[in-house]
Amino acid sequence: MMLTVKKHNSSWGSTKKFEPENFWASYSDLMAGLLMIFALTTVVTILEIGHKLIEPTEMLEKWQKVINEIRNDKELATISNIHIDPDTGALIISDKNLRFGFGDSDLGQEAEEILRRAVPKYIEIVSKYPDFLKLINVIEIAGHTDRKDLNNANPYLSRRRAGQVHHFLSNEPAMKPHLKLFNDKAITAGYAATRFPNTCIEDTCAEARRVEITILLKERDVLKEFQRILKEIIR
């Protein structure tokens, strides 16, 4: 019997040729894939953050729209000597009678007429946006004074000026539709000369003796919303 032996090409005991170009091609593909995944993850994260930050941003944009409507209201525009701050929406009443005399805190008839016309209309515009009513922290009625002070009376004068305006508005029939909101939110504050106008050169200045009415939003609630969003993102 003949035994036939077939010759096989065996790699045992031999060294396989290493092809570095194949290795680097595979490594490059791997890195490209990882970079693509990282880029997509980053984009998704940014889009998620952007989406979550839209709500508070939209809220601020809507508040700016409210301010713009107040500034462009035709009825308010017909009332002389009032100004709407473009940044805060504050109603600044600069009538010479409401500015008071030096050391004085009594409201004159002309000042009462301006308050009677301007403040109810101001609150009426804001009340058209019910979403913002819950965001109102306070309606601040702030009194201000000259730098010149006699017997340290300015802190008292500024508080009394604000109190006079508050008292008048609380009892004014034109305020009746807004009285609940006003009573719930209105506060008085006396700043004396701590917010002295830059336009005043002398220590006694009629422009300084004023009352400003400002609707202040709940800034803490806005900050809490941002914190809540960031916590969700971190998770």
Side-chain angles (χ1 to χ4, degrees):
M1 183 171 71
M2 182 183 291
L3 180 64
T4 304
V5 179
K6 293 183 179 180
K7 188 178 181 180
H8 295 277
N9 294 326
S10 176
S11 60
W12 185 84
S14 64
T15 304
K16 185 178 181 180
K17 184 179 179 181
F18 182 67
E19 299 178 354
E21 64 275 8
N22 293 333
F23 170 78
W24 287 113
S26 301
Y27 182 78
S28 298
D29 292 341
L30 176 62
M31 290 303 299
L34 291 174
L35 287 172
M36 183 175 291
I37 293 172
F38 175 76
L40 289 173
T41 304
T42 303
V43 170
V44 171
T45 302
I46 291 174
L47 290 175
E48 183 181 1
I49 293 173
H51 176 72
K52 288 180 177 295
L53 293 180
I54 282 176
E55 289 185 16
T57 302
E58 285 183 345
M59 181 176 64
L60 296 177
E61 288 177 351
K62 287 179 180 179
W63 176 240
Q64 188 61 51
K65 288 180 181 179
V66 177
I67 293 176
N68 290 337
E69 182 172 344
I70 294 171
R71 294 181 66 197
N72 296 319
D73 183 78
K74 293 181 179 179
E75 186 174 337
L76 283 177
T78 63
I79 305 174
S80 59
N81 298 316
I82 69 167
H83 170 67
I84 305 298
D85 187 287
D87 297 320
T88 65
L91 174 66
I92 302 173
I93 303 173
S94 56
D95 180 76
K96 62 181 180 180
N97 290 300
L98 194 55
R99 286 181 180 175
F100 310 95
F102 179 74
D104 184 25
S105 60
D106 293 330
L107 288 173
Q109 289 184 354
E110 292 182 25
E112 290 180 350
E113 181 58 27
I114 288 180
L115 289 171
R116 184 178 293 115
R117 293 180 61 194
V119 178
K121 182 62 180 178
Y122 178 75
I123 297 180
E124 177 188 329
I125 295 173
V126 177
S127 297
K128 289 165 57 178
Y129 299 86
D131 290 343
F132 284 100
L133 293 181
K134 61 185 179 182
L135 293 176
I136 294 176
N137 187 21
V138 295
I139 301 174
E140 183 188 64
I141 303 173
H144 304 269
T145 68
D146 297 289
R147 279 202 181 111
K148 185 177 179 180
D149 194 355
L150 293 178
N151 300 320
N152 198 31
N154 279 350
Y156 166 77
L157 274 175
S158 61
R159 292 193 299 270
R160 179 163 173 77
R161 286 168 180 168
Q164 288 287 84
V165 172
H166 184 281
H167 177 76
F168 171 78
L169 291 172
S170 296
N171 294 279
E172 169 53 40
M175 284 289 294
K176 189 174 182 180
H178 316 293
L179 207 54
K180 185 180 186 308
L181 174 64
F182 187 78
N183 288 338
D184 289 345
K185 299 293 185 179
I187 65 168
T188 60
Y191 289 100
T194 58
R195 298 182 180 181
F196 200 70
N198 294 328
T199 52
C200 290
I201 300 175
E202 304 294 333
D203 286 343
T204 55
C205 177
E207 188 178 347
R209 299 188 292 271
R210 70 199 187 281
V211 168
E212 296 182 5
I213 300 174
T214 309
I215 290 180
L216 302 176
L217 297 181
K218 296 178 180 178
E219 294 180 2
R220 288 184 180 179
D221 286 1
V222 176
L223 291 175
K224 284 180 181 178
E225 181 65 13
F226 276 106
Q227 290 175 346
R228 181 188 65 79
I229 291 169
L230 290 174
K231 284 180 181 178
E232 288 183 359
I233 293 170
I234 291 172
R235 289 176 188 173

Short mmCIF file of all heavy atoms in Angstrom, two decimals, residues 42-98:
data_model
loop_
_atom_site.label_atom_id
_atom_site.label_comp_id
_atom_site.label_asym_id
_atom_site.label_seq_id
_atom_site.Cartn_x
_atom_site.Cartn_y
_atom_site.Cartn_z
N THR A 42 -22.29 66.32 21.42
CA THR A 42 -22.14 67.74 21.77
C THR A 42 -23.27 68.55 21.17
O THR A 42 -23.86 69.41 21.83
CB THR A 42 -20.79 68.28 21.26
OG1 THR A 42 -19.74 67.49 21.82
CG2 THR A 42 -20.61 69.73 21.66
N VAL A 43 -23.59 68.30 19.91
CA VAL A 43 -24.67 69.03 19.25
C VAL A 43 -26.00 68.79 19.95
O VAL A 43 -26.76 69.72 20.21
CB VAL A 43 -24.76 68.62 17.75
CG1 VAL A 43 -26.04 69.19 17.13
CG2 VAL A 43 -23.54 69.12 17.00
N VAL A 44 -26.25 67.51 20.27
CA VAL A 44 -27.51 67.18 20.96
C VAL A 44 -27.57 67.88 22.31
O VAL A 44 -28.61 68.42 22.70
CB VAL A 44 -27.63 65.65 21.13
CG1 VAL A 44 -28.80 65.32 22.04
CG2 VAL A 44 -27.81 65.00 19.78
N THR A 45 -26.43 67.88 23.04
CA THR A 45 -26.39 68.54 24.35
C THR A 45 -26.65 70.03 24.23
O THR A 45 -27.42 70.61 24.99
CB THR A 45 -25.02 68.31 25.02
OG1 THR A 45 -24.79 66.91 25.14
CG2 THR A 45 -24.99 68.93 26.40
N ILE A 46 -26.00 70.66 23.25
CA ILE A 46 -26.20 72.10 23.04
C ILE A 46 -27.65 72.39 22.68
O ILE A 46 -28.26 73.34 23.18
CB ILE A 46 -25.25 72.61 21.93
CG1 ILE A 46 -23.80 72.56 22.42
CG2 ILE A 46 -25.61 74.02 21.50
CD1 ILE A 46 -22.77 72.90 21.36
N LEU A 47 -28.21 71.56 21.80
CA LEU A 47 -29.61 71.76 21.42
C LEU A 47 -30.53 71.58 22.62
O LEU A 47 -31.51 72.33 22.79
CB LEU A 47 -30.00 70.78 20.31
CG LEU A 47 -29.37 71.02 18.93
CD1 LEU A 47 -29.74 69.89 17.97
CD2 LEU A 47 -29.83 72.37 18.38
N GLU A 48 -30.19 70.60 23.48
CA GLU A 48 -31.00 70.37 24.67
C GLU A 48 -30.92 71.55 25.62
O GLU A 48 -31.93 72.01 26.15
CB GLU A 48 -30.53 69.10 25.38
CG GLU A 48 -31.38 68.74 26.60
CD GLU A 48 -30.88 67.49 27.29
OE1 GLU A 48 -29.87 66.92 26.83
OE2 GLU A 48 -31.49 67.09 28.29
N ILE A 49 -29.68 72.05 25.84
CA ILE A 49 -29.50 73.22 26.70
C ILE A 49 -30.26 74.41 26.13
O ILE A 49 -30.97 75.12 26.83
CB ILE A 49 -28.01 73.55 26.85
CG1 ILE A 49 -27.29 72.46 27.62
CG2 ILE A 49 -27.82 74.89 27.56
CD1 ILE A 49 -25.79 72.62 27.67
N GLY A 50 -30.07 74.61 24.82
CA GLY A 50 -30.74 75.74 24.18
C GLY A 50 -32.24 75.64 24.31
O GLY A 50 -32.92 76.63 24.60
N HIS A 51 -32.77 74.42 24.12
CA HIS A 51 -34.22 74.23 24.24
C HIS A 51 -34.70 74.52 25.65
O HIS A 51 -35.73 75.17 25.84
CB HIS A 51 -34.57 72.79 23.85
CG HIS A 51 -36.02 72.47 24.02
ND1 HIS A 51 -37.00 72.97 23.19
CD2 HIS A 51 -36.68 71.73 24.96
CE1 HIS A 51 -38.18 72.52 23.59
NE2 HIS A 51 -38.02 71.77 24.66
N LYS A 52 -33.93 74.08 26.64
CA LYS A 52 -34.34 74.27 28.03
C LYS A 52 -34.23 75.74 28.46
O LYS A 52 -34.93 76.18 29.36
CB LYS A 52 -33.51 73.38 28.96
CG LYS A 52 -33.85 71.90 28.85
CD LYS A 52 -33.00 71.07 29.78
CE LYS A 52 -33.39 69.61 29.73
NZ LYS A 52 -34.75 69.37 30.23
N LEU A 53 -33.30 76.47 27.84
CA LEU A 53 -33.13 77.87 28.20
C LEU A 53 -34.08 78.79 27.46
O LEU A 53 -34.12 79.98 27.72
CB LEU A 53 -31.69 78.31 27.93
CG LEU A 53 -30.60 77.66 28.79
CD1 LEU A 53 -29.24 78.19 28.40
CD2 LEU A 53 -30.86 77.91 30.27
N ILE A 54 -34.85 78.22 26.53
CA ILE A 54 -35.77 79.06 25.75
C ILE A 54 -36.84 79.67 26.63
O ILE A 54 -37.19 80.84 26.50
CB ILE A 54 -36.41 78.23 24.61
CG1 ILE A 54 -35.41 78.07 23.47
CG2 ILE A 54 -37.68 78.90 24.10
CD1 ILE A 54 -35.90 77.19 22.35
N GLU A 55 -37.37 78.88 27.60
CA GLU A 55 -38.50 79.35 28.40
C GLU A 55 -38.19 80.63 29.17
O GLU A 55 -38.92 81.61 29.03
CB GLU A 55 -38.95 78.24 29.35
CG GLU A 55 -39.65 77.10 28.63
CD GLU A 55 -40.19 76.08 29.60
OE1 GLU A 55 -40.28 76.40 30.80
OE2 GLU A 55 -40.54 74.97 29.17
N PRO A 56 -37.12 80.65 30.00
CA PRO A 56 -36.84 81.91 30.71
C PRO A 56 -36.47 83.04 29.77
O PRO A 56 -36.78 84.21 30.03
CB PRO A 56 -35.67 81.55 31.64
CG PRO A 56 -35.11 80.28 31.11
CD PRO A 56 -36.23 79.57 30.44
N THR A 57 -35.81 82.71 28.64
CA THR A 57 -35.47 83.75 27.67
C THR A 57 -36.72 84.34 27.06
O THR A 57 -36.86 85.55 26.90
CB THR A 57 -34.56 83.18 26.57
OG1 THR A 57 -33.39 82.64 27.17
CG2 THR A 57 -34.16 84.26 25.58
N GLU A 58 -37.66 83.47 26.70
CA GLU A 58 -38.93 83.93 26.14
C GLU A 58 -39.67 84.80 27.14
O GLU A 58 -40.30 85.79 26.77
CB GLU A 58 -39.79 82.74 25.72
CG GLU A 58 -39.32 82.07 24.44
CD GLU A 58 -40.23 80.94 24.04
OE1 GLU A 58 -41.06 80.49 24.89
OE2 GLU A 58 -40.15 80.49 22.89
N MET A 59 -39.59 84.43 28.41
CA MET A 59 -40.27 85.20 29.44
C MET A 59 -39.74 86.63 29.49
O MET A 59 -40.51 87.59 29.57
CB MET A 59 -40.09 84.52 30.80
CG MET A 59 -40.79 85.23 31.95
SD MET A 59 -40.61 84.29 33.48
CE MET A 59 -38.84 84.35 33.71
N LEU A 60 -38.41 86.76 29.43
CA LEU A 60 -37.81 88.09 29.45
C LEU A 60 -38.16 88.86 28.19
O LEU A 60 -38.39 90.07 28.24
CB LEU A 60 -36.29 87.97 29.61
CG LEU A 60 -35.81 87.36 30.92
CD1 LEU A 60 -34.29 87.23 30.91
CD2 LEU A 60 -36.24 88.21 32.11
N GLU A 61 -38.20 88.16 27.06
CA GLU A 61 -38.57 88.82 25.80
C GLU A 61 -40.01 89.31 25.85
O GLU A 61 -40.32 90.40 25.36
CB GLU A 61 -38.37 87.86 24.63
CG GLU A 61 -36.90 87.59 24.31
CD GLU A 61 -36.74 86.57 23.20
OE1 GLU A 61 -37.76 85.95 22.81
OE2 GLU A 61 -35.60 86.39 22.73
N LYS A 62 -40.88 88.52 26.44
CA LYS A 62 -42.29 88.93 26.56
C LYS A 62 -42.42 90.14 27.48
O LYS A 62 -43.24 91.03 27.22
CB LYS A 62 -43.13 87.76 27.09
CG LYS A 62 -43.35 86.66 26.06
CD LYS A 62 -44.17 85.52 26.65
CE LYS A 62 -44.38 84.42 25.63
NZ LYS A 62 -45.15 83.28 26.20
N TRP A 63 -41.62 90.15 28.56
CA TRP A 63 -41.67 91.30 29.45
C TRP A 63 -41.22 92.56 28.72
O TRP A 63 -41.77 93.64 28.91
CB TRP A 63 -40.80 91.06 30.68
CG TRP A 63 -40.71 92.24 31.61
CD1 TRP A 63 -39.60 92.92 31.97
CD2 TRP A 63 -41.80 92.90 32.27
NE1 TRP A 63 -39.92 93.95 32.84
CE2 TRP A 63 -41.27 93.96 33.02
CE3 TRP A 63 -43.18 92.68 32.30
CZ2 TRP A 63 -42.06 94.80 33.79
CZ3 TRP A 63 -43.97 93.53 33.07
CH2 TRP A 63 -43.41 94.56 33.81
N GLN A 64 -40.23 92.41 27.83
CA GLN A 64 -39.78 93.55 27.05
C GLN A 64 -40.89 94.04 26.12
O GLN A 64 -41.03 95.24 25.89
CB GLN A 64 -38.54 93.18 26.22
CG GLN A 64 -37.89 94.36 25.51
CD GLN A 64 -37.42 95.43 26.47
OE1 GLN A 64 -36.71 95.12 27.43
NE2 GLN A 64 -37.80 96.67 26.25
N LYS A 65 -41.69 93.10 25.62
CA LYS A 65 -42.83 93.49 24.77
C LYS A 65 -43.85 94.28 25.59
O LYS A 65 -44.45 95.23 25.09
CB LYS A 65 -43.49 92.24 24.17
CG LYS A 65 -42.65 91.58 23.09
CD LYS A 65 -43.35 90.36 22.52
CE LYS A 65 -42.51 89.69 21.45
NZ LYS A 65 -43.17 88.47 20.91
N VAL A 66 -44.05 93.86 26.85
CA VAL A 66 -44.97 94.60 27.72
C VAL A 66 -44.45 96.03 27.92
O VAL A 66 -45.20 97.00 27.83
CB VAL A 66 -45.13 93.89 29.08
CG1 VAL A 66 -46.03 94.71 30.00
CG2 VAL A 66 -45.69 92.50 28.89
N ILE A 67 -43.15 96.15 28.18
CA ILE A 67 -42.54 97.47 28.37
C ILE A 67 -42.71 98.32 27.11
O ILE A 67 -43.06 99.50 27.19
CB ILE A 67 -41.05 97.33 28.73
CG1 ILE A 67 -40.90 96.69 30.11
CG2 ILE A 67 -40.36 98.70 28.72
CD1 ILE A 67 -39.46 96.42 30.50
N ASN A 68 -42.50 97.70 25.96
CA ASN A 68 -42.64 98.45 24.71
C ASN A 68 -44.07 98.93 24.51
O ASN A 68 -44.31 100.03 24.01
CB ASN A 68 -42.20 97.59 23.52
CG ASN A 68 -40.71 97.35 23.50
OD1 ASN A 68 -39.94 98.13 24.08
ND2 ASN A 68 -40.28 96.28 22.86
N GLU A 69 -45.04 98.09 24.88
CA GLU A 69 -46.43 98.50 24.74
C GLU A 69 -46.75 99.67 25.67
O GLU A 69 -47.46 100.61 25.30
CB GLU A 69 -47.38 97.33 25.04
CG GLU A 69 -48.85 97.71 24.86
CD GLU A 69 -49.79 96.54 24.97
OE1 GLU A 69 -49.33 95.39 24.88
OE2 GLU A 69 -51.00 96.77 25.14
N ILE A 70 -46.20 99.61 26.89
CA ILE A 70 -46.40 100.72 27.82
C ILE A 70 -45.80 102.00 27.25
O ILE A 70 -46.43 103.06 27.27
CB ILE A 70 -45.75 100.40 29.19
CG1 ILE A 70 -46.47 99.22 29.86
CG2 ILE A 70 -45.79 101.62 30.10
CD1 ILE A 70 -45.76 98.71 31.10
N ARG A 71 -44.63 101.89 26.69
CA ARG A 71 -43.94 103.08 26.16
C ARG A 71 -44.66 103.66 24.95
O ARG A 71 -44.62 104.87 24.72
CB ARG A 71 -42.50 102.72 25.77
CG ARG A 71 -41.61 102.33 26.94
CD ARG A 71 -40.22 102.01 26.46
NE ARG A 71 -39.56 103.19 25.91
CZ ARG A 71 -38.48 103.15 25.14
NH1 ARG A 71 -37.95 101.98 24.80
NH2 ARG A 71 -37.93 104.26 24.70
N ASN A 72 -45.32 102.79 24.18
CA ASN A 72 -45.97 103.25 22.95
C ASN A 72 -47.47 103.48 23.10
O ASN A 72 -48.15 103.75 22.11
CB ASN A 72 -45.73 102.23 21.83
CG ASN A 72 -44.26 102.11 21.47
OD1 ASN A 72 -43.56 103.11 21.40
ND2 ASN A 72 -43.79 100.89 21.24
N ASP A 73 -47.97 103.36 24.33
CA ASP A 73 -49.40 103.58 24.54
C ASP A 73 -49.76 105.04 24.25
O ASP A 73 -49.14 105.97 24.77
CB ASP A 73 -49.79 103.23 25.98
CG ASP A 73 -51.28 103.36 26.23
OD1 ASP A 73 -52.03 102.46 25.82
OD2 ASP A 73 -51.68 104.38 26.81
N LYS A 74 -50.77 105.24 23.41
CA LYS A 74 -51.14 106.59 22.97
C LYS A 74 -51.69 107.43 24.12
O LYS A 74 -51.45 108.64 24.19
CB LYS A 74 -52.16 106.50 21.83
CG LYS A 74 -51.57 105.91 20.55
CD LYS A 74 -52.60 105.86 19.44
CE LYS A 74 -51.99 105.27 18.17
NZ LYS A 74 -52.99 105.20 17.07
N GLU A 75 -52.47 106.80 24.99
CA GLU A 75 -53.06 107.56 26.09
C GLU A 75 -51.99 108.03 27.06
O GLU A 75 -52.01 109.18 27.51
CB GLU A 75 -54.09 106.70 26.83
CG GLU A 75 -54.86 107.47 27.91
CD GLU A 75 -55.97 106.65 28.53
OE1 GLU A 75 -56.44 105.68 27.88
OE2 GLU A 75 -56.37 106.97 29.66
N LEU A 76 -51.05 107.14 27.39
CA LEU A 76 -49.95 107.55 28.26
C LEU A 76 -49.10 108.63 27.60
O LEU A 76 -48.57 109.52 28.28
CB LEU A 76 -49.07 106.35 28.62
CG LEU A 76 -49.60 105.37 29.67
CD1 LEU A 76 -48.64 104.20 29.85
CD2 LEU A 76 -49.83 106.06 31.01
N ALA A 77 -48.99 108.54 26.28
CA ALA A 77 -48.17 109.52 25.55
C ALA A 77 -48.75 110.93 25.62
O ALA A 77 -48.02 111.91 25.47
CB ALA A 77 -48.01 109.08 24.10
N THR A 78 -50.06 111.03 25.87
CA THR A 78 -50.69 112.35 25.94
C THR A 78 -50.49 113.01 27.30
O THR A 78 -50.78 114.20 27.46
CB THR A 78 -52.20 112.26 25.65
OG1 THR A 78 -52.82 111.44 26.67
CG2 THR A 78 -52.46 111.64 24.28
N ILE A 79 -50.01 112.25 28.28
CA ILE A 79 -49.81 112.80 29.62
C ILE A 79 -48.40 113.38 29.69
O ILE A 79 -47.41 112.66 29.53
CB ILE A 79 -49.99 111.71 30.70
CG1 ILE A 79 -51.36 111.04 30.54
CG2 ILE A 79 -49.87 112.31 32.09
CD1 ILE A 79 -51.57 109.86 31.47
N SER A 80 -48.33 114.65 29.91
CA SER A 80 -47.03 115.30 29.95
C SER A 80 -46.30 114.99 31.25
O SER A 80 -46.90 114.64 32.27
CB SER A 80 -47.18 116.82 29.80
OG SER A 80 -48.00 117.34 30.84
N ASN A 81 -44.99 115.08 31.19
CA ASN A 81 -44.13 114.95 32.36
C ASN A 81 -44.12 113.56 32.99
O ASN A 81 -43.90 113.41 34.19
CB ASN A 81 -44.50 115.97 33.44
CG ASN A 81 -44.33 117.39 32.95
OD1 ASN A 81 -43.33 117.71 32.32
ND2 ASN A 81 -45.31 118.23 33.21
N ILE A 82 -44.38 112.53 32.17
CA ILE A 82 -44.16 111.16 32.66
C ILE A 82 -43.19 110.49 31.69
O ILE A 82 -43.09 110.86 30.52
CB ILE A 82 -45.45 110.33 32.80
CG1 ILE A 82 -46.03 110.01 31.42
CG2 ILE A 82 -46.45 111.01 33.69
CD1 ILE A 82 -47.10 108.94 31.47
N HIS A 83 -42.47 109.51 32.22
CA HIS A 83 -41.46 108.83 31.41
C HIS A 83 -41.45 107.36 31.79
O HIS A 83 -41.57 107.01 32.96
CB HIS A 83 -40.08 109.46 31.67
CG HIS A 83 -38.94 108.70 31.08
ND1 HIS A 83 -38.74 108.58 29.73
CD2 HIS A 83 -37.93 108.00 31.67
CE1 HIS A 83 -37.66 107.85 29.50
NE2 HIS A 83 -37.16 107.48 30.66
N ILE A 84 -41.31 106.50 30.77
CA ILE A 84 -41.21 105.06 31.00
C ILE A 84 -39.76 104.65 30.79
O ILE A 84 -39.21 104.84 29.70
CB ILE A 84 -42.12 104.25 30.05
CG1 ILE A 84 -43.58 104.73 30.16
CG2 ILE A 84 -42.02 102.77 30.36
CD1 ILE A 84 -44.20 104.54 31.50
N ASP A 85 -39.15 104.10 31.81
CA ASP A 85 -37.77 103.65 31.68
C ASP A 85 -37.71 102.49 30.69
O ASP A 85 -38.41 101.49 30.86
CB ASP A 85 -37.23 103.20 33.05
CG ASP A 85 -35.76 102.88 33.02
OD1 ASP A 85 -35.40 101.83 32.44
OD2 ASP A 85 -34.96 103.68 33.55
N PRO A 86 -36.89 102.60 29.63
CA PRO A 86 -36.86 101.56 28.60
C PRO A 86 -36.30 100.23 29.06
O PRO A 86 -36.56 99.21 28.42
CB PRO A 86 -35.96 102.18 27.51
CG PRO A 86 -35.10 103.16 28.23
CD PRO A 86 -35.95 103.70 29.34
N ASP A 87 -35.56 100.21 30.14
CA ASP A 87 -34.96 98.96 30.63
C ASP A 87 -35.81 98.26 31.67
O ASP A 87 -36.00 97.04 31.62
CB ASP A 87 -33.57 99.24 31.21
CG ASP A 87 -32.61 99.78 30.16
OD1 ASP A 87 -32.65 99.28 29.02
OD2 ASP A 87 -31.84 100.70 30.47
N THR A 88 -36.33 99.02 32.63
CA THR A 88 -37.08 98.42 33.73
C THR A 88 -38.59 98.54 33.58
O THR A 88 -39.33 97.84 34.26
CB THR A 88 -36.68 99.09 35.06
OG1 THR A 88 -37.08 100.47 35.03
CG2 THR A 88 -35.18 99.02 35.28
N GLY A 89 -39.05 99.45 32.71
CA GLY A 89 -40.48 99.69 32.59
C GLY A 89 -41.03 100.56 33.69
O GLY A 89 -42.25 100.69 33.83
N ALA A 90 -40.17 101.19 34.48
CA ALA A 90 -40.62 102.03 35.59
C ALA A 90 -41.40 103.23 35.07
O ALA A 90 -41.03 103.85 34.07
CB ALA A 90 -39.43 102.50 36.40
N LEU A 91 -42.48 103.54 35.76
CA LEU A 91 -43.25 104.75 35.47
C LEU A 91 -42.66 105.87 36.32
O LEU A 91 -42.79 105.88 37.54
CB LEU A 91 -44.72 104.53 35.82
CG LEU A 91 -45.64 105.75 35.71
CD1 LEU A 91 -45.75 106.23 34.27
CD2 LEU A 91 -47.02 105.45 36.28
N ILE A 92 -42.00 106.82 35.66
CA ILE A 92 -41.36 107.94 36.36
C ILE A 92 -42.20 109.18 36.14
O ILE A 92 -42.38 109.64 35.01
CB ILE A 92 -39.92 108.17 35.85
CG1 ILE A 92 -39.10 106.89 36.02
CG2 ILE A 92 -39.27 109.32 36.59
CD1 ILE A 92 -37.72 106.96 35.39
N ILE A 93 -42.76 109.70 37.23
CA ILE A 93 -43.62 110.88 37.15
C ILE A 93 -42.80 112.08 37.57
O ILE A 93 -42.39 112.20 38.73
CB ILE A 93 -44.86 110.71 38.05
CG1 ILE A 93 -45.62 109.44 37.64
CG2 ILE A 93 -45.77 111.93 37.95
CD1 ILE A 93 -46.76 109.09 38.56
N SER A 94 -42.57 112.96 36.62
CA SER A 94 -41.65 114.07 36.89
C SER A 94 -42.35 115.43 36.89
O SER A 94 -41.72 116.45 36.66
CB SER A 94 -40.53 114.08 35.83
OG SER A 94 -41.07 114.15 34.53
N ASP A 95 -43.64 115.41 37.12
CA ASP A 95 -44.35 116.69 37.18
C ASP A 95 -43.76 117.55 38.30
O ASP A 95 -43.39 117.05 39.36
CB ASP A 95 -45.84 116.44 37.46
CG ASP A 95 -46.64 117.72 37.54
OD1 ASP A 95 -46.92 118.31 36.49
OD2 ASP A 95 -46.93 118.13 38.66
N LYS A 96 -43.70 118.84 38.06
CA LYS A 96 -43.04 119.72 39.03
C LYS A 96 -43.73 119.68 40.39
O LYS A 96 -43.08 119.84 41.43
CB LYS A 96 -43.01 121.15 38.51
CG LYS A 96 -44.39 121.77 38.27
CD LYS A 96 -44.26 123.19 37.72
CE LYS A 96 -45.63 123.82 37.49
NZ LYS A 96 -45.50 125.18 36.95
N ASN A 97 -45.05 119.43 40.41
CA ASN A 97 -45.74 119.34 41.70
C ASN A 97 -45.45 118.01 42.40
O ASN A 97 -45.35 117.95 43.62
CB ASN A 97 -47.25 119.50 41.50
CG ASN A 97 -47.62 120.93 41.12
OD1 ASN A 97 -47.35 121.86 41.86
ND2 ASN A 97 -48.21 121.09 39.95
N LEU A 98 -45.32 116.96 41.58
CA LEU A 98 -45.00 115.67 42.18
C LEU A 98 -43.54 115.61 42.60
O LEU A 98 -43.15 114.78 43.42
CB LEU A 98 -45.30 114.54 41.18
CG LEU A 98 -45.33 113.11 41.74
CD1 LEU A 98 -46.32 113.02 42.90
CD2 LEU A 98 -45.66 112.12 40.67
#
